[in-house]
């Protein structure tokens, strides 16, 4: 209620001041994150206008590097694409937390993102849209699969699938009681973790029906029953649940692996007031629900799932009780050199008999 009153007051002041004080917000974002109905509502309430440029992580970094952080007033890179580029290129400006309605955010996501985007004591990112990878399970046929290493259980031999990619290494490490993200700053320690995970995944190979590459391939395997449990994204599990109530996304006991697309202020943005107004506006639960409907993923808005389509909301709430949300392992920036170690481990797993 307090946040709604504050935002209503801000909107009223903006409208009463007229177009003289209204800014154009140049937003660099992903498809679905700024739907037309949300833009229209924002423009009506604040007097600001919005210009949207759709992009992805690589293009966002390239555009901001090319202009030394100019050309846009608000960008939405993933949280692991902020600290590194900021330290190297200085393309963002710190966020003034006094201008943010922090009560609108899920606390654990807000704190995780602040921590992962802090450079020299300054916060450069806030959470917006998020998603996870974890387990997609046919609960009628693989009800004992509750964590990543359960994919190696004898009960599901020959009927599991996952990708030979970083998320598999990370997920298995956490399920084995290890902490790979804590070892990111120590290459030798990370190599020791990879060695243990590599051995586990080689032992697990008889359980693997196939290593999947694309989402459609995996969905077909799960629909046919050839695969009864897999590592996959949450939205894919919920989509399969529409066709088969026994199949759904399960947040692993050791924690789902989470990505967050953020709010970040380009270093040479010129409409900070409009940017802060947009952040506070879209994090309102009713507006967050509109963005979820357009993007297909949930946001870090506290209570933002309440206004979502009942069927999707029920799946989300079943997969993510509060404890599961608080247990999500959010991807930090990857230090140089680790990708080569991971690639070599994955190659050896693939080649092993």
């Amino acid at each position: 209620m307090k946040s709604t009153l504050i935002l209503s007051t801000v909107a009223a002041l903006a409208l009463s001041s007229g177009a003289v004080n209204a800014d154009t917000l140049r937003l660099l974002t992903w498809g679905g994150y700024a739907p037309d109905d949300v833009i229209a509502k924002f423009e009506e309430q604040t007097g600001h206008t919005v210009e949207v440029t759709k992009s992805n992580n690589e293009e966002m970094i390239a555009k901001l590097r090319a202009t030394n952080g100019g050309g846009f007033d608000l960008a939405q890179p993933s949280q692991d694409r902020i600290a590194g580029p900021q330290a190297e290129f200085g393309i963002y400006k710190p966020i003034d937390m006094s201008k943010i309605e922090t009560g609108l955010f899920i606390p654990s996501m807000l704190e995780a993102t602040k921590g992962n985007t802090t450079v020299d004591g300054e916060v450069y990112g806030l959470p917006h849209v998020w998603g996870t990878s974890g387990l997609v399970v046919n609960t009628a046929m693989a009800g004992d699969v509750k964590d990543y290493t359960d994919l190696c259980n004898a009960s599901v031999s020959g009927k599991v699938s996952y990708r030979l990619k970083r998320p598999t290494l990370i997920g298995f490490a956490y399920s084995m009681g290890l902490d790979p993200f804590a070892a990111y700053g120590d290459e030798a320690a990370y190599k020791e973790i990879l060695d243990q995970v590599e051995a586990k995944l080689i032992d697990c190979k008889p359980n693997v029906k196939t290593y999947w590459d694309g989402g459609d391939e995996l969905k077909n395997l799960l629909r046919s029953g050839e695969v009864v449990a897999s590592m996959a994204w949450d939205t894919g599990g919920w989509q399969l649940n529409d066709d088969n109530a026994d199949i759904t996304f399960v947040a692993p006991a050791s924690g789902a692996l989470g990505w967050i697309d953020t709010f970040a202020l380009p270093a040479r943005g010129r409409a900070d007031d409009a940017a802060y107004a947009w952040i506070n506006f879209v994090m309102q639960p009713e507006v967050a629900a509109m963005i979820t409907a357009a993007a297909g993923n949930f946001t870090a808005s506290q209570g933002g799932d309440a206004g979502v389509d009942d069927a999707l909301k029920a799946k989300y709430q079943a997969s993510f009780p509060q404890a599961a949300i608080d247990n999500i392992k959010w991807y930090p920036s990857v230090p140089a050199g680790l990708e080569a170690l991971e690639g070599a481990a994955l190659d050896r797993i693939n080649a092993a008999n």
Side-chain angles (χ1 to χ4, degrees), residues 129-293:
V129 178
W130 65 279
T132 69
S133 61
L135 299 167
V136 174
V137 178
N138 185 320
T139 56
M141 303 176 71
D144 61 333
V145 175
K146 306 292 186 183
D147 211 341
Y148 303 104
T149 52
D150 292 339
L151 295 172
C152 303
N153 291 350
S155 60
V156 290
S157 180
K159 292 191 173 184
V160 308
S161 187
Y162 40 79
R163 294 186 300 163
L164 283 180
K165 299 287 185 181
R166 170 183 293 134
T168 301
L169 299 173
I170 299 297
F172 267 73
Y174 275 113
S175 190
M176 294 165 65
L178 307 170
D179 191 341
F181 292 161
Y184 263 19
D186 185 335
E187 188 170 313
Y190 192 67
K191 176 65 164 57
E192 289 182 10
I193 289 175
L194 285 182
D195 288 344
Q196 295 178 61
V197 173
E198 178 183 327
K200 179 67 174 178
L201 287 170
I202 289 174
D203 287 343
C204 196
K205 288 193 77 168
N207 271 36
V208 179
K209 173 69 176 179
T210 185
Y211 297 120
W212 64 271
D213 290 316
D216 288 341
E217 174 191 5
L218 177 61
K219 288 176 186 176
N220 289 334
L221 289 166
L222 284 157
R223 287 190 181 105
S224 69
E226 294 177 83
V227 166
V228 297
S230 177
M231 286 186 66
W233 295 292
D234 46 23
T235 51
W238 296 331
Q239 290 165 2
L240 286 165
N241 187 255
D242 291 333
D243 302 325
N244 185 337
D246 291 329
I247 302 175
T248 193
F249 178 82
V250 174
S254 59
L257 305 177
W259 56 266
I260 296 180
D261 291 333
T262 68
F263 300 109
L265 299 174
R268 295 172 59 213
R270 60 180 186 231
D272 286 358
D273 287 346
Y276 285 117
W278 176 264
I279 294 169
N280 289 324
F281 176 79
V282 300
M283 294 309 293
Q284 296 176 91
E286 63 273 20
V287 180
M290 297 166 68
I291 292 173
T292 293

Side-chain angles (χ1 to χ4, degrees), residues 26 53 90 124 203 228 341 350:
R26 299 166 300 166
T53 299
Y124 287 87
D203 287 343
V228 297
L341 291 177
N350 191 39

